[in-house]
């Protein structure tokens, strides 16, 4: 019994240490964003600034394009997420359940595409965007991100895990493929859909390389592009960690909120549907 | 309209409740095919053409003034003997060390975290899962900025190291390789001639064996930190699908926790391990954002990755053919490793030797 207890204590101690390692950097980040430059350099570890200053935030919001970057990231992310959830689950359902010639080939294509390194595409992507006349527009930022092979894969796997019996009744009642998909299967797929929403929100909000090659106008700069340019010292002289960390922090907030809202569901993606 | 059919499973393709499925199937996958085709397939083909051409970045690469130059661009980065070859060699050296360290570490750590937090009796497991997953939701740009601060000369990492009397380096400015540093610690500062005199891709074997630079090591730690949470979730999902019956039965047979994990749980996790390692490899070989945001390849090119080199060659130096060639070589490498990995983890028929272990043996129970 005591061996069991000491095992428990060891487990919790291990978990707490690991949790501290994972969380502490972000606490330091929050604290540093309220520090003066000199304190950020002289006392990196402290979680409580000696002199609390909002200078970093003031600079970001009143003397930089930060609000514009934020707006651009918001527009792109919402458009991409809505489109992706719909297209990816449609395709995932078709590949999992609908029988049609060429299905195997299409699935192989989607899986194959997953292996194509995004960086292979950097060079010609902007050419294609140029060729079809949408380079340096919102369309160039949004359209290529609307579909994600990994999402198709996830949805296909999920739909395959649902017993066929659920759809058969609807089919026997005469519902068409889209109706079965929309009213019967999709509502059941909520856990998987939320996974897709999280992944596309996160993916498009955090996307950098695509935006680098799809746009050049300062008006279309997203947070990732803008903040990356901060890192190389565009706005600030020298290190100026408080400004950079404040920018990175604000950029993290929307995905963090998203995560906390859906947290319960992310963690239980395998529950639901029919069991046994 | 098809409600009267009572034999659903059998029957020809276009009858019964399967009627109209083919058309619906194609309509459903059409948006995905169009977008993947337009923004993935066509660009890949164009890049392939550019990698065989002398396109200089002006006008369309498909115009008549662009010439086919065969393997010239590929030769420049693999056998050219010049700076292009050496840069490519260095980038491969860097990324090889990166992948070699990141993939096993992130896979093991994420599985370890998943097993820890998957216990039904664990209090606060929601909190722990959140803590471990949180770094995964932040963007690579944001986390790189945080990392630049944590690993700066006066940063948190060095402050912690100072507690135990270690004077930490200025991480992102330090180009020395960690294997070389370790060797220097035991007094070896120059390699044997066999290693220093032999070049592969313009980089001597001694340099290949330098290990990741201190700067690249900071990126390696960052990758493990930011990916372990995502992969932990995949493992948690898989662990919840592992049948409890088998585990209970083996517990009756007296198997201890470790044996149950090794012989019962782990084999069932094989598909997930496959996914994690494959995603890790694919992601690892393409590191770009962190380098673009953080070091731009420095110090002394020790954080140049093939992906960054490809971008830099094309967009900065206007060497489009060379950049595309690097991208394709990278592509081939990734496919190669994915195939090896798939082969290694393939579903095998149970071998005789293995099957023998599960056979009922006369003497033992």
């Amino acid at each position: 019994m005591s061996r069991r207890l000491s095992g428990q204590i060891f487990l919790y101690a291990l978990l707490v240490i690991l949790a501290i390692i994972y969380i502490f950097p972000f606490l330091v980040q929050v604290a540093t964003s309220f520090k003066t430059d000199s304190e950020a350099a002289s006392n990196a570890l402290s979680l409580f600034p000696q002199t609390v200053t909002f200078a970093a935030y003031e600079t970001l919001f009143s003397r930089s394009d930060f609000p514009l970057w934020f707006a651009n990231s918001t527009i792109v992310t919402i458009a991409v997420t809505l489109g992706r959830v719909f297209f990816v689950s449609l395709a995932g359902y078709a590949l999992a359940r609908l029988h049609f010639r060429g299905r195997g080939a299409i699935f192989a294509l989607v899986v194959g595409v997953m292996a194509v390194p995004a960086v292979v595409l950097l060079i010609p992507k902007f050419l294609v965007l140029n060729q079809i006349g949408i380079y340096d527009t919102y369309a160039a930022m949004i359209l290529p991100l609307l579909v994600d092979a990994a999402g198709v894969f996830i949805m296909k796997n999920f739909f395959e895990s649902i017993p066929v019996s659920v759809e058969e009744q609807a089919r026997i009642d005469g519902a068409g493929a889209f109706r079965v998909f929309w009213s019967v299967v999709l509502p059941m797929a909520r856990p998987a859909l939320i996974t897709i929403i999280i992944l596309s929100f996160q993916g498009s909000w955090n996307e950098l390389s695509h935006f680098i090659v799809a746009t050049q106008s300062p008006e279309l700069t997203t947070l990732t592009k803008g903040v990356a340019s901060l890192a190389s010292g565009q706005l600030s002289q020298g290190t100026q960690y408080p400004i950079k960390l404040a920018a990175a922090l604000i950029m993290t907030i929307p995905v963090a909120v998203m995560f906390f809202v859906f947290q319960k569901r992310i963690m239980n993606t395998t529950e639901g549907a029919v069991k046994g | 309209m098809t409600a009267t059919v009572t034999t659903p499973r059998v029957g020809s393709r276009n009858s019964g409740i399967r009627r109209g499925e083919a058309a619906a199937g194609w309509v459903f996958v059409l948006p995905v095919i169009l977008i993947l085709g337009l923004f993935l397939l066509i660009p890949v083909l164009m890049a392939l053409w550019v990698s065989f051409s002398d396109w200089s970045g002006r006008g369309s690469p498909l115009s008549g003034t662009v010439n086919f130059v065969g393997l010239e661009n590929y030769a420049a980065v693999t056998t050219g003997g010049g700076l292009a070859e050496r840069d490519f060699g260095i980038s491969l050296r860097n990324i090889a060390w990166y992948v070699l360290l990141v993939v096993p570490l992130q896979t093991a750590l994420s599985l370890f975290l998943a097993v820890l937090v998957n216990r039904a009796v664990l209090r606060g497991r929601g909190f722990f899962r959140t803590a471990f997953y949180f770094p995964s939701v932040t963007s690579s740009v944001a986390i790189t900025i945080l990392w630049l601060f944590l690993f700066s000369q006066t940063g948190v990492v060095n402050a912690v190291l100072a507690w135990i009397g270690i004077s930490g380096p200025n991480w992102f400015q330090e180009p020395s390789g960690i294997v070389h540093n370790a060797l220097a610690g035991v007094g070896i500062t120059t390699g044997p001639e066999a290693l220093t005199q032999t070049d592969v891709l313009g980089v001597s074997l001694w340099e290949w064996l330098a290990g990741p630079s201190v700067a690249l090591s900071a990126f390696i730690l960052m990758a493990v930190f930011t990916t372990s949470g995502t992969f932990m979730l995949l493992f948690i999902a898989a662990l919840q699908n592992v049948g409890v019956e088998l585990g209970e039965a083996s517990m009756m047979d007296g198997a201890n926790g470790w044996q149950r994990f090794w012989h019962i749980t782990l084999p069932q996790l094989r598909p997930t391990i496959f996914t994690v390692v494959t995603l890790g490899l694919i992601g690892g070989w393409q590191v770009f954002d962190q380098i673009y945001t953080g070091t731009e390849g420095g110090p002394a090119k020790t954080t140049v990755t093939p992906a960054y080199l490809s971008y830099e060659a094309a967009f900065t130096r206007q060497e489009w053919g060379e950049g595309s060639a690097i991208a394709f070589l990278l592509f081939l490498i990734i496919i190669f490793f994915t195939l090896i990995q798939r082969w290694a983890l393939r579903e095998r028929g149970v071998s005789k030797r293995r099957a023998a272990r599960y056979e009922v043996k006369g003497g033992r129970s």
Side-chain angles (χ1 to χ4, degrees):
Chain A
M1 206 56 205
S2 72
R3 210 179 123 209
R4 209 191 147 105
L5 186 69
S6 63
Q8 286 287 316
I9 292 171
F10 176 74
L11 172 70
Y12 281 104
L14 187 64
L15 278 167
V16 167
I17 291 169
L18 283 167
I20 290 172
I21 293 174
Y22 275 81
I23 296 171
F24 190 71
F26 298 102
L27 299 180
V28 168
Q29 181 179 14
V30 175
T32 307
S33 71
F34 293 108
K35 288 178 187 172
T36 60
D37 282 3
S38 60
E39 200 195 339
S42 63
N43 201 355
L45 266 176
S46 81
L47 292 180
F48 301 98
Q50 283 161 339
T51 34
V52 175
T53 167
F54 294 89
Y57 293 91
E58 276 171 34
T59 308
L60 281 179
F61 281 102
S62 57
R63 278 185 284 141
S64 81
D65 288 335
F66 193 83
L68 173 74
W69 302 341
F70 197 96
N72 282 333
S73 281
T74 307
I75 293 167
V76 170
T77 300
I78 290 174
V80 167
T81 303
L82 290 178
R84 204 189 274 187
V85 165
F86 182 65
F87 292 139
V88 151
S89 48
L90 258 185
Y93 178 69
L95 292 174
R97 277 295 207 273
L98 302 181
H99 296 260
F100 59 98
R101 207 183 286 270
R103 186 175 82 159
I106 289 170
F107 184 62
L109 179 91
V110 170
V111 171
V113 153
M114 281 174 78
V116 178
V119 290
V120 174
L121 300 164
L122 285 188
I123 294 169
K125 217 185 214 172
F126 99 102
L127 266 172
V128 169
L129 295 171
N130 220 355
Q131 213 91 10
I132 58 178
I134 58 170
Y135 176 70
D136 212 21
T137 63
Y138 282 111
M141 301 165 84
I142 294 165
L143 281 178
L145 296 181
L146 275 184
V147 158
D148 158 67
V152 176
F153 195 74
I154 290 172
M155 290 313 293
K156 177 182 180 279
N157 276 352
F158 184 87
F159 287 129
E160 277 172 348
S161 75
I162 299 178
V164 190
S165 57
V166 221
E167 297 149 77
E168 265 169 4
Q169 193 55 50
R171 292 199 151 243
I172 288 165
D173 291 345
F178 187 78
R179 196 172 162 78
V180 171
F181 164 75
W182 188 255
S183 336
V184 179
V185 188
L186 211 54
M188 292 179 67
R190 227 160 79 163
L193 289 180
I194 286 166
T195 307
I196 301 288
I197 291 175
I198 309 264
L199 288 179
S200 22
F201 188 94
Q202 218 174 296
S204 45
W205 183 267
N206 294 342
E207 177 64 49
L208 170 68
S209 59
H210 172 64
F211 299 145
I212 291 175
V213 300
T215 60
Q216 59 176 8
S217 316
E219 304 86 67
L220 293 177
T221 301
T222 57
L223 270 178
T224 44
K225 255 177 92 172
V227 175
S229 71
L230 276 188
S232 52
Q234 184 207 57
L235 188 76
S236 48
Q237 299 291 313
T239 51
Q240 296 209 355
Y241 284 115
I243 288 183
K244 295 175 187 173
L245 290 173
L249 181 66
I250 297 172
M251 180 177 174
T252 306
I253 290 173
V255 277
V257 168
M258 180 84 182
F259 169 64
F260 284 111
V261 168
F262 288 115
Q263 190 189 21
K264 276 248 161 60
R265 285 168 187 168
I266 305 177
M267 300 305 186
N268 296 317
T269 42
T270 55
E271 282 171 21
V274 186
K275 270 221 161 157
Chain B
M1 59 183 169
T2 54
T4 52
V5 178
T6 52
T7 51
R9 295 290 177 106
V10 281
S12 70
R13 191 179 300 276
N14 284 317
S15 71
I17 63 169
R18 295 254 173 257
R19 178 173 307 192
E21 259 190 39
W26 277 103
V27 173
F28 281 22
V29 294
L30 200 64
V32 168
I33 293 179
L34 280 180
I35 292 173
L36 289 184
L38 190 56
F39 297 110
L40 274 162
L41 216 56
I42 294 176
V44 167
L45 296 177
M46 275 176 105
L48 194 60
W49 161 246
V50 169
S51 77
F52 291 113
S53 79
D54 63 356
W55 186 57
S56 62
R58 284 163 198 266
S60 166
L62 303 176
S63 76
T65 56
V66 178
N67 301 306
F68 177 78
V69 296
L71 290 171
E72 217 171 81
N73 293 314
Y74 290 88
V77 296
T78 54
T79 57
L83 195 61
E85 184 193 349
R86 189 176 153 74
D87 283 354
F88 184 61
I90 290 175
S91 77
L92 279 186
R93 188 273 310 263
N94 296 341
I95 204 71
W97 282 107
Y98 180 93
V99 169
L100 190 71
L101 291 168
V102 166
V103 172
L105 284 175
Q106 76 191 41
T107 308
L109 180 62
S110 53
L111 178 56
F112 180 68
L113 294 177
V115 170
L116 281 187
V117 299
N118 195 47
R119 290 162 187 256
V121 291
L122 184 71
R123 277 169 204 275
R125 61 181 178 157
F127 166 77
F128 289 116
R129 288 178 185 192
T130 305
F132 301 146
Y133 186 67
F134 189 72
S136 307
V137 303
T138 51
S139 76
S140 46
V141 171
I143 212 97
T144 303
I145 286 172
L146 176 54
W147 226 248
L148 290 173
F149 171 66
L150 294 178
F151 283 78
S152 65
Q153 182 81 69
T154 58
V156 169
V157 173
N158 283 352
V160 171
L161 287 176
W163 292 349
I164 49 172
I166 297 173
S167 166
N170 191 353
W171 294 76
F172 284 105
Q173 305 296 324
E174 184 53 61
S176 60
I178 60 170
V179 173
H180 275 185
N181 287 348
L183 289 173
V186 292
I188 305 170
T189 50
T190 48
E193 238 174 54
L195 294 180
T196 52
Q197 298 304 313
T198 315
D199 281 9
V200 174
L201 289 171
V203 180
S204 76
L205 287 180
W206 177 246
E207 281 180 74
W208 275 91
L209 297 174
S213 68
V214 171
L216 191 62
S217 302
F219 279 123
I220 289 171
L221 293 174
M222 183 171 112
V224 174
F225 179 71
T226 52
T227 53
S228 47
T230 313
F231 292 144
M232 173 192 76
L233 286 192
L234 292 184
F235 277 125
I236 289 175
L239 282 170
Q240 286 171 354
N241 280 337
V242 167
V244 284
E245 297 86 1
L246 211 52
E248 278 165 3
S250 64
M251 212 175 340
M252 298 288 198
D253 292 344
N256 66 30
W258 176 250
Q259 285 170 330
R260 283 205 306 279
F261 177 74
W262 192 254
H263 292 294
I264 312 256
T265 310
L266 209 55
Q268 293 191 67
L269 292 178
R270 186 198 286 258
T272 312
I273 295 173
F274 166 70
T275 310
V276 168
V277 172
T278 307
L279 292 177
L281 276 173
I282 292 173
W285 277 92
Q286 330 185 34
V287 176
F288 173 82
D289 293 7
Q290 298 84 325
I291 312 301
Y292 177 91
T293 308
T295 54
E296 293 177 341
K301 297 185 181 173
T302 59
T303 61
V304 168
T305 61
Y308 185 78
L309 186 65
S310 153
Y311 164 83
E312 194 254 352
F315 287 86
T316 312
R317 288 191 275 122
Q318 300 291 306
E319 297 278 358
W320 294 86
E322 198 183 302
S324 302
I326 294 169
F328 271 98
L329 291 170
L330 179 60
F331 185 27
L332 292 179
I333 291 169
I334 292 174
I335 290 187
F336 174 73
F337 278 101
T338 309
L339 290 178
I340 289 206
Q341 209 269 327
R342 189 181 288 257
W343 174 81
L345 276 175
R346 71 195 184 278
E347 284 300 327
R348 270 171 278 227
V350 181
S351 71
K352 275 195 178 141
R353 188 172 63 84
R354 222 186 148 82
R357 291 223 302 257
Y358 298 102
E359 267 165 25
V360 182
K361 287 173 191 132
R364 295 164 60 189
S365 59

